Amino acid sequence: MPFITYLSGLLTAQMLSDDQLISGVEIHCEEKGRCPSTCHLCRRPGKEQLSPAPVLLEINRVVPLYTLIPDNDTKEAFRGALMSSYWCSGKGDVIEDWCRCDLNAFDENGLPNCSPLPQPVLRLSPSVEPSSTVVSLEWLDVQPAIGTKVSDYILQHKKVDEYTDTDLYTGESLSFADDLLSGLGTSCVAAGRSHGEVPETSLYSVIFKCLEPDGLYKFTLYAVDTRGRHSELSTVTLRTACPLVDDSKAEEIADKIYNLYNGYTSGKEQQTAYNTLMEVSVSMLFRVQHHYNSHYEKFGDFIWRSEDELGPRKAHLILRRLEKVSSHCSTLLRSAYIQSRTDTMPYLFCRSEEVRPAGMVWYNILKDTKVTFRSGCMD
């Protein structure tokens, strides 16, 4: 039968019933437009006029399913089952704001695991653009309203290169509660807490301020609950921006090296050229090579002239440094023109004035502890 006929019949059956209307169900029909002529279900036999278009029921009030059950015992059992399924994976009972796990809901370490520990999602902060030395990361607090209690977040960071086994070397580990929020961590790392898009949600952020330019870094985050369980890992891998280069200075050094190489090169001039090329940064050395070849390649390129004037051993020590430049930065360093730019980023550094009692959970302190703010800027 047409949908509108079904609704009308259902509404009539309720009105004629001796029992009360079904709790939480309201049927409301009204005409809104017409069905298209191609819809054969809307045509009534013997009537040329099309029936009104069916309209979806509107939700006036959201109530839990168990409130629709009239029997109190059944309602309470249904409520407990829903709460257990949602907060305790169906393997325990909700007691106030925690889960009492069943006897078969323990892991191999003897720890209750009926209440799942959510995985935090680590991401780059959209408010701070990564630079050659500064990277800002953030994540939302995964503390559920009922169930497990998050006691800390562990953030690991390391620089990845060909000399490091990424699986064996875990890098430096920082406790968000003990190292960062307490102010006991290094001055190269700053942490903060703010509200997410939802006021009840906390957004945690960590700024790394002393990274190496043109370096590949891996950041790993996981949550720890009060029972010592670890959540799944969340990983962000990125390469910091290319280092700043004074292009005018690089061109001056290229001219100086050419003058030292030109004509007869004494031992003193050789040592001066070698010291100069070893003291500059890797990116500056790459730019010096670019300017040298741009202006003086007709007298021999930079590599050939260095081997000829300094000898194969010293030339190899100099040129081996160029291998540390990534392919991305080497492409930029070959540009005809480089313009430097310095951005200023505001930040806040927080330090607690109170001593945290032993055994006190840190997520409660975040709401009660007095903090002092020291604002500033860093380039």
Side-chain angles (χ1 to χ4, degrees):
M1 64 179 67
F3 184 69
I4 189 64
T5 305
Y6 167 75
L7 290 181
S8 301
L10 184 60
L11 181 62
T12 303
Q14 284 201 43
M15 290 182 175
L16 298 178
S17 175
D18 296 334
D19 300 331
Q20 295 181 354
L21 294 177
I22 300 176
S23 175
V25 177
E26 177 182 354
I27 298 178
H28 176 71
C29 296
E30 63 182 39
E31 182 175 341
K32 289 186 177 180
R34 299 285 183 178
C35 287
S37 57
T38 55
C39 179
H40 65 283
L41 296 178
C42 297
R43 298 181 180 274
R44 296 183 180 181
K47 295 185 178 181
E48 297 180 355
Q49 186 178 4
L50 301 178
S51 61
V55 179
L56 292 178
L57 297 180
E58 298 176 358
I59 300 177
N60 296 329
R61 182 167 53 98
V62 179
V63 295
L65 288 176
Y66 56 80
T67 60
L68 303 179
I69 302 176
D71 182 68
N72 289 334
D73 294 336
T74 306
K75 180 187 298 185
E76 188 62 27
F78 191 22
R79 174 185 175 277
L82 286 178
M83 296 286 285
S84 173
S85 176
Y86 188 83
W87 295 109
C88 309
S89 304
K91 301 177 182 179
D93 299 322
V94 174
I95 307 297
E96 295 182 352
D97 63 344
W98 59 281
C99 287
R100 182 180 61 191
C101 297
D102 299 337
L103 295 178
N104 60 348
F106 288 78
D107 58 17
E108 61 276 4
N109 299 320
L111 297 176
N113 63 351
C114 65
S115 178
L117 179 56
Q119 176 191 19
V121 179
L122 187 65
R123 66 188 182 190
L124 279 175
S125 176
S127 58
V128 180
E129 181 181 359
S131 69
S132 58
T133 58
V134 177
V135 168
S136 178
L137 302 171
E138 65 182 22
W139 68 92
L140 290 173
D141 186 18
V142 295
Q143 171 67 53
I146 296 176
T148 184
K149 295 295 181 289
V150 177
S151 62
D152 198 2
Y153 290 98
I154 304 299
L155 182 61
Q156 299 174 342
H157 66 98
K158 62 182 177 180
K159 184 179 180 182
V160 182
D161 52 37
E162 65 272 18
Y163 306 107
T164 304
D165 190 326
T166 56
D167 296 328
L168 297 179
Y169 176 64
T170 58
E172 181 181 358
S173 295
L174 294 172
S175 166
F176 192 76
D178 297 332
D179 298 330
L180 299 178
L181 289 184
S182 63
L184 300 178
T186 172
S187 59
C188 289
V189 183
R193 173 182 178 268
S194 60
H195 294 290
E197 297 180 358
V198 180
E200 294 80 11
T201 305
S202 295
L203 178 68
Y204 299 110
S205 60
V206 176
I207 301 177
F208 293 87
K209 302 179 288 184
C210 305
L211 303 179
E212 296 182 13
D214 192 22
L216 184 62
Y217 286 88
K218 182 178 181 180
F219 302 89
T220 304
L221 176 73
Y222 62 89
V224 181
D225 67 3
T226 53
R227 296 188 176 102
R229 290 188 305 163
H230 293 182
S231 69
E232 295 293 330
L233 301 178
S234 179
T235 303
V236 171
T237 303
L238 59 88
R239 181 175 292 277
T240 52
C242 302
L244 295 176
V245 176
D246 189 340
D247 200 35
S248 300
K249 183 67 175 179
E251 193 168 6
E252 292 177 3
I253 296 176
D255 294 338
K256 176 182 177 180
I257 297 299
Y258 170 75
N259 293 329
L260 292 173
Y261 286 173
N262 189 24
Y264 173 75
T265 306
S266 64
K268 181 179 180 180
E269 291 172 332
Q270 289 179 354
Q271 190 63 35
T272 301
Y274 175 77
N275 292 340
T276 301
L277 296 176
M278 291 297 290
E279 290 172 358
V280 298
S281 65
V282 177
S283 55
M284 178 68 77
L285 177 61
F286 203 101
R287 195 62 181 171
V288 168
Q289 180 189 25
H290 169 77
H291 283 299
Y292 188 97
N293 292 334
S294 299
H295 298 305
Y296 311 113
E297 191 173 14
K298 60 183 178 180
F299 303 107
D301 67 358
F302 179 78
I303 297 177
W304 182 83
R305 290 290 291 163
S306 297
E307 292 176 346
D308 184 57
E309 297 293 340
L310 305 179
R313 188 183 68 85
K314 287 186 176 181
H316 174 71
L317 293 176
I318 294 173
L319 299 175
R320 189 173 63 178
R321 302 179 62 207
L322 298 175
E323 299 175 359
K324 299 179 180 179
V325 181
S326 66
S327 58
H328 171 68
C329 290
S330 62
T331 302
L332 296 177
L333 290 171
R334 292 191 186 97
S335 304
Y337 178 70
I338 293 181
Q339 180 182 5
S340 62
R341 184 191 68 180
T342 302
D343 292 333
T344 301
M345 181 187 70
Y347 71 99
L348 289 176
F349 180 78
C350 308
R351 184 180 298 274
S352 173
E353 293 180 341
E354 299 179 2
V355 179
R356 186 179 60 176
M360 188 172 183
V361 183
W362 66 269
Y363 61 78
N364 290 332
I365 286 204
L366 288 176
K367 303 176 182 178
D368 304 329
T369 303
K370 298 178 181 179
V371 295
T372 54
F373 294 91
R374 184 180 65 193
S375 62
C377 298
M378 59 185 174
D379 294 335

